[in-house]
Amino acid sequence: MTKKVKIALAIGMQSVMVGAVGDFVNWPYMKYVFILAGISFGLAIIFFIWDMAKE
C-alpha cells in the first residue's frame, strides 16, 4: 500500500472511532463525521485500485 492509501484509511478509522464515541454520548454533528469516514474509505479504495492498476 502506498502512503495515500494508508493516510486515507487512518483518517477513516479515526473518524469512525470519534463518531462511535460521539454518538454514544450524544455529541452533535456526528452524522457529518460518519459521512467523512465514508468518503475517506471510498478514497482509500479508489487510491488502492489506482495503485494496483499502475503495477
Side-chain angles (χ1 to χ4, degrees):
M1 280 190 285
T2 62
K3 194 172 187 177
K4 291 186 292 191
V5 176
K6 290 179 183 178
I7 289 172
L9 285 174
I11 291 171
M13 289 300 292
Q14 289 174 357
S15 298
V16 166
M17 293 302 294
V18 168
V21 171
D23 192 38
F24 180 72
V25 295
N26 293 322
W27 288 346
Y29 307 114
M30 287 301 108
K31 180 172 80 171
Y32 301 113
V33 173
F34 286 126
I35 291 171
L36 171 69
I39 292 170
S40 296
F41 282 125
L43 284 175
I45 291 169
I46 290 170
F47 290 151
F48 184 75
I49 292 171
W50 182 265
D51 290 338
M52 291 297 117
K54 281 185 180 178
E55 294 177 2

